Amino acid sequence: MPLLWLILIVLAIAAAGYVLGRSRALASAGGDIRQLHSLPSYYGSNAALKAVVPALLLLVLWLIAQPLYINSVISGTLPDELISEGSSRGLLMAEVSRTAQGLDLAVSQGVIDEGVASDPAADFNAMTDRLKQAGAIVTSQITQPVLNAAQRYRSMSHTGTAIMSIAVIIIAVLGAFYGIRQSSAQFRARNVVEQGVRVLLVAAASIAVLTTVGIVLSLVFNTIEFFRLYPASEFFFGLSWAPSFSGRGGSSELGVLPLLWGTIYISIVALIVAVPVGLFAAIYLSEYAGSKVRAVAKPLLEVLAGIPTIVYGLFALLTVGPLLVSIFGDGGVLGVSWQGGGRAVITAGLVMGIMLIPFVSSLSDDIINAVPQAMRDGSYGLGATKSETIKQVVLPAALPGIVGAILLAASRAIGETMIVVLGAGAAARLSLNPFEAMTTVTAKIVSQLTGDSDFASPEALVAFALGMTLFVLTLGLNVFALYIVRKYREQYD
Amino acid sequence: MNDMRLLERDVDAKDIKIAARKVQVYYADTHAIKDVDVDIEDKTVTAFIGPSGCGKSTFLRCLNRMNDTIDICRVEGDIRIDGEDIYDAKVDPVQLRAKVGMVFQKPNPFPKSIYDNIAYGPRIHGLARSKADLDDIVEKSLRRGAIWDEVKDRLHAPGTGLSGGQQQRLCIARAVATEPEVLLMDEPCSALDPIATSQVEELIDELRQEFSVVIVTHSMQQAARVSQKTAFFHLGNLVEYGETGQIFTTPQDPRTESYITGRIG
Ligand SMILES: Nc1ncnc2c1ncn2[C@@H]1O[C@H](COP(=O)(O)OP(=O)(O)OP(=O)(O)O)[C@@H](O)[C@H]1O
Ligand SMILES: [Mg+2]
């Protein structure tokens, strides 16, 4: 609550700065807007920005730094002998801060009063009971040193927060004053606000970029960790995937090839379904369909894209799988017994292909529409038919874009999980038979991390290596897509 | 086919090639062409002139049914080529366009090689018996398009890599390659320099030996130089149509006169 108040106060100061800065600028020009360098609202915004930005920046930094600082100070005062067997300083500090939070909670609920809470001589047994009564999570018995440390922790963070509040408010007021002082007719408030907007946009962009970098780095470090525990050559070239959770490493075989093969195989089946259907649908919609058909069919196709993949997974499991078994399975329509069970590469591939149809078609449709009408006119003008024009002029012109769309669809197929889990089974297998169950990298990442897993074991860490493999694969595919698009890009005009 | 044309020329060099009667064109509710009657002669260059937006391109596009590709466009009236109603249900617009070639206002080469651009029409219509035959057609067309010398060393480079003026000549060569009987040219020289313009004008004059050429132009000088007949359009009406010399020296209609002398623009 105090934090919310603090922010509201800063905003109020900014609002006041806005009003004052604006009116001061107006006054300096004698009320004549034309005498000002910028519109009055820019002067106001300048003052408001000067109040808000430094104050909130300070607030954020302080909120990050304060717990770190207090932790290090308090943990330095904890005597070594307190740290019991099998525990660590970090665990002890966690208990201290939990106790401090418990005290705060108890005080705010009125179970104990402030004087008792901060009394260093307070009875720690009674205190434990009180805290439990207040609903605070206290592990076991609080010991005297822990209680004292917690009390110190509390008082330090209270003072810290108080100083922070005052500092933030002072900074905000100073900033607002500075902004108001600047407000005179000659001051280029418009340019300053422009700068501010720019910084804001840069900040947003860097958050996006930094997050990506962070994710990649965490993948990389965990992957390196995994390769310390498990030989990389066996991971990359091992032909068998047989993790064991009971044996705690050693007996596990973690070869990525069967999973990679499953991923690629299922994706290929999916693309074989999605590319022709999606592309032809796109050609029909963009070249042949009347505007009325288009107005209905295009959104309808795009609804397919909005269906959650888990629903496709159910569809694979409950409808497509049994249907395929009744065709290709034992005693099926064809009289062959190729397919043993509903879960198979072909099931997952078909359903994934259906999922990708709208993806391919709507991207290709946009690309085909982007081919200039003049190009078609040129072909029609030479006496070409519609399909000749499409085949020989429109598609070649749109090809780079279409290849890009297909590669994007491929990277979606590679990353797809739910359909595989439900449609393709969980057996890691190197086989060419599309009627057999197989599994993919993504499905195995899920199964390695669900359930009780020890995050330090190679069986769990392998998930990061798998994720990294997948990441490199899709990244490569995207880069390749870009390369193709660049290389064959046609200038239309 | 060529023999037939030769025969025709022997009989009468000034047959009526295209006869249009009471042509109306609507774009949705806009009435773009109103009641146009015109007879376009064979082996003649006919120029369409008129202020921007008066419907020259629209009327030109009626002559090879290119307006069919525009959803909202509706054509009424009667247009006959060699006595045959081209809007008749029996007529295949695709066949018609092979006979009535078109060069567009903006150059629109295909994103293919120069060679393939020219070979496109002949290939579709099966005009070449062999590869060598096709090579011949390509060379001949490029020469007629006054661009052979510039591209003969890079026939397999993309057509889109040429300059605007070169692209336009490529499009002219492409249209000529299908051996049309009528060639419609919509401001073919608007992107060309004076040298290329005069080359294209020479080409037009040469094409007149075999084809009927209709050219839209904004240049009075060009109309005067290349055409034998001139039609002046204004706000969707065909105001005046006659011998080029007569239109430019003694126009009958005051609107024609003021346009030619530069008072309507
Ligand atoms: N595709 C279209 N959709 C709707 N209206 C159109 C379309 N094409 C042309 N028009 C309208 O028809 C009229 C005639 O246009 P047109 O293109 O035939 O003029 P133009 O004489 O060729 O002009 P310019 O010399 O500028 O090329 C204009 O009023 C134009 O707005
Ligand atoms: Mg025009």
Side-chain angles (χ1 to χ4, degrees):
Chain A
M1 204 41 143
L3 194 59
L4 181 63
W5 276 113
L6 186 57
I7 292 172
L8 286 181
I9 290 171
V10 169
L11 290 181
I13 294 171
Y18 181 92
V19 174
L20 291 176
R22 187 177 184 281
S23 57
R24 192 181 138 98
L26 265 180
S28 79
D32 184 359
I33 295 181
R34 284 170 304 175
Q35 302 294 316
L36 291 173
H37 172 270
S38 317
L39 288 175
S41 65
Y42 281 113
Y43 292 95
S45 305
N46 173 47
L49 277 178
K50 296 235 152 87
V52 168
V53 174
L56 290 190
L57 216 59
L58 177 73
L59 182 64
V60 169
L61 288 180
W62 197 297
L63 285 177
I64 295 172
Q66 176 174 307
L68 294 179
Y69 173 73
I70 296 180
N71 257 345
S72 75
V73 170
I74 302 269
S75 115
T77 63
L78 288 174
D80 281 337
E81 59 271 19
L82 261 182
I83 300 162
S84 57
E85 194 69 28
S87 177
S88 70
R89 196 166 280 275
L91 283 179
L92 195 63
M93 268 315 294
E95 193 169 335
V96 169
S97 65
R98 251 198 322 271
T99 310
Q101 277 162 19
L103 284 172
D104 279 341
L105 188 69
V107 170
S108 72
Q109 289 184 354
V111 179
I112 49 179
D113 53 39
E114 185 57 50
V116 180
S118 46
D119 178 8
D123 175 24
F124 55 88
N125 288 319
M127 193 64 93
T128 310
D129 292 339
R130 290 278 179 75
L131 292 188
K132 282 189 175 148
Q133 194 186 330
I137 313 146
V138 183
T139 39
S140 51
Q141 190 67 19
I142 302 173
T143 54
Q144 187 69 49
V146 167
L147 179 62
N148 288 348
Q151 284 165 339
R152 245 175 302 134
Y153 188 100
R154 265 192 85 213
S155 74
M156 275 181 81
S157 43
H158 280 191
T159 14
T161 310
I163 297 172
M164 172 184 80
S165 306
I166 293 165
V168 165
I169 290 173
I170 288 175
I171 294 276
V173 169
L174 285 182
F177 262 115
Y178 181 53
I180 295 167
R181 283 273 323 260
Q182 281 181 321
S183 303
S184 67
Q186 276 74 45
F187 179 62
R188 303 184 173 183
R190 197 171 170 210
N191 308 22
V192 174
V193 172
E194 192 62 38
Q195 283 290 325
V197 169
R198 195 178 131 174
V199 168
L200 191 77
L201 298 180
V202 168
S206 15
I207 287 177
V209 171
L210 288 179
T211 318
T212 315
V213 171
I215 291 175
V216 172
L217 282 184
S218 95
L219 266 183
V220 168
F221 285 126
N222 283 299
T223 306
I224 292 172
E225 184 65 29
F226 168 70
F227 285 138
R228 281 220 193 90
L229 300 172
Y230 192 86
S233 60
E234 278 179 44
F235 174 74
F236 285 118
F237 303 110
L239 294 181
S240 145
W241 175 268
S244 85
F245 273 103
S246 49
R248 271 291 146 89
S251 60
S252 287
E253 288 181 275
L254 301 174
V256 74
L257 285 182
L259 306 185
L260 221 46
W261 169 244
T263 302
I264 291 169
Y265 199 4
I266 292 176
S267 303
I268 287 174
V269 174
L271 289 180
I272 288 174
V273 174
V275 170
V277 177
L279 196 54
F280 291 164
I283 291 173
Y284 171 72
L285 283 182
S286 59
E287 299 287 322
Y288 287 91
S291 52
K292 279 190 197 127
V293 178
R294 206 178 136 83
V296 178
K298 202 167 150 76
L300 224 55
L301 247 178
E302 273 157 13
V303 166
L304 270 185
I307 298 176
T309 57
I310 184 77
V311 176
Y312 282 107
L314 289 178
F315 178 58
L317 183 66
L318 302 177
T319 314
V320 177
L323 183 76
L324 288 173
V325 171
S326 75
I327 296 172
F328 298 107
D330 226 355
V333 183
L334 294 183
V336 291
S337 57
W338 290 340
Q339 196 170 358
R343 296 180 185 222
V345 166
I346 183 133
T347 312
L350 264 179
V351 174
M352 207 190 276
I354 294 170
M355 178 193 84
L356 291 178
I357 287 173
F359 201 72
V360 173
S361 79
S362 86
L363 277 177
S364 313
D365 181 58
D366 292 345
I367 290 155
I368 290 174
N369 274 327
V371 175
Q373 182 61 32
M375 213 80 93
R376 298 185 181 90
D377 284 350
S379 174
Y380 295 142
L382 290 170
T385 62
K386 206 153 197 167
S387 71
E388 283 164 350
T389 302
I390 291 167
K391 204 168 66 207
Q392 305 202 23
V393 175
V394 177
L395 285 187
L399 193 66
I402 291 173
V403 170
I406 291 172
L407 290 179
L408 279 182
S411 53
R412 271 209 63 178
I414 288 173
E416 175 49 41
T417 315
M418 284 331 294
I419 295 177
V420 179
V421 170
L422 293 178
R429 191 176 278 141
L430 268 173
S431 153
L432 274 175
N433 185 352
F435 298 103
E436 253 180 287
M438 276 184 212
T439 195
T440 65
V441 176
T442 49
K444 276 303 160 200
I445 292 180
V446 173
S447 67
Q448 289 313 99
L449 293 183
T450 41
D452 272 341
S453 46
D454 171 6
F455 271 95
S457 72
E459 284 79 8
L461 280 175
V462 71
F464 290 102
L466 290 176
M468 192 72 203
T469 315
L470 213 53
F471 173 70
V472 170
L473 202 64
T474 38
L475 185 73
L477 216 52
N478 288 348
V479 169
F480 184 60
L482 275 183
Y483 167 77
I484 294 272
V485 171
R486 291 246 171 84
K487 177 155 183 207
Y488 296 101
R489 193 202 304 277
E490 303 291 353
Q491 275 85 36
Y492 292 132
D493 43 17
Chain B
M1 239 207 229
N2 278 332
D3 299 348
M4 268 181 55
R5 257 188 239 137
L6 281 174
L7 275 179
E8 273 168 21
R9 195 197 297 172
D10 287 342
V11 176
D12 183 1
K14 294 287 186 250
D15 266 346
I16 301 296
K17 186 72 182 173
I18 305 174
R21 292 291 173 275
K22 296 241 170 292
V23 177
Q24 320 279 346
V25 182
Y26 302 87
Y27 288 111
D29 296 331
T30 329
H31 197 170
I33 291 288
K34 299 161 193 156
D35 256 344
V36 169
D37 289 1
V38 72
D39 284 324
I40 290 166
E41 291 170 1
D42 201 5
K43 308 201 179 8
T44 305
V45 178
T46 307
F48 287 178
I49 59 171
S52 184
C54 66
K56 305 179 296 291
S57 302
T58 302
F59 186 70
L60 201 67
R61 292 164 63 93
C62 293
L63 302 181
N64 67 344
R65 294 188 59 174
M66 276 306 284
N67 283 331
D68 292 14
T69 62
I70 300 174
D71 283 339
I72 55 167
C73 185
R74 207 151 42 81
V75 180
E76 287 169 11
D78 187 60
I79 301 177
R80 288 170 187 275
I81 294 184
D82 292 333
E84 191 187 11
D85 183 0
I86 61 168
Y87 280 86
D88 193 272
K90 287 199 298 286
V91 171
D92 177 9
V94 170
Q95 221 58 51
L96 172 74
R97 289 180 202 136
K99 208 162 74 170
V100 185
M102 182 154 198
V103 176
F104 294 83
Q105 199 161 349
K106 273 200 328 216
N108 55 350
F110 302 134
K112 299 170 175 293
S113 72
I114 292 169
Y115 184 96
D116 288 337
N117 261 283
I118 305 293
Y120 186 82
R123 275 186 183 137
I124 286 179
H125 302 296
L127 299 184
R129 273 177 294 275
S130 63
K131 176 79 172 77
D133 212 9
L134 191 61
D135 289 347
D136 275 354
I137 294 177
V138 169
E139 180 176 342
K140 200 176 99 205
S141 309
L142 286 170
R143 282 189 192 285
R144 295 172 96 179
I147 191 181
W148 170 253
D149 290 330
E150 285 156 74
V151 301
K152 63 171 185 277
D153 300 323
R154 47 167 172 158
L155 288 177
H156 295 283
T160 41
L162 297 172
S163 78
Q166 289 173 326
Q167 289 186 6
Q168 187 62 298
R169 280 177 284 153
L170 181 69
C171 292
I172 294 172
R174 187 175 72 185
V176 170
T178 36
E179 310 246 344
E181 296 171 24
V182 180
L183 190 60
L184 309 175
M185 303 175 113
D186 196 346
E187 293 181 43
C189 299
S190 58
L192 300 188
D193 65 35
I195 298 171
T197 301
S198 72
Q199 283 169 332
V200 170
E201 285 174 3
E202 259 170 54
L203 164 73
I204 292 171
D205 204 52
E206 187 190 313
L207 294 175
R208 180 163 70 90
Q209 310 303 316
E210 295 171 51
F211 311 138
S212 163
V213 179
V214 184
I215 175 172
V216 172
T217 177
H218 278 292
S219 155
M220 299 304 122
Q221 291 83 349
Q222 182 170 55
R225 278 196 302 266
V226 299
S227 70
Q228 288 78 54
K229 291 285 205 118
T230 296
F232 171 65
F233 287 82
H234 186 243
L235 299 178
N237 296 302
L238 176 64
V239 174
E240 196 166 348
Y241 176 55
E243 295 290 331
T244 300
Q246 177 255 313
I247 294 269
F248 279 97
T249 50
T250 52
Q252 305 296 306
D253 195 287
R255 284 172 292 180
T256 317
E257 190 184 353
S258 32
Y259 180 69
I260 289 168
T261 54
R263 267 176 285 147
I264 319 182

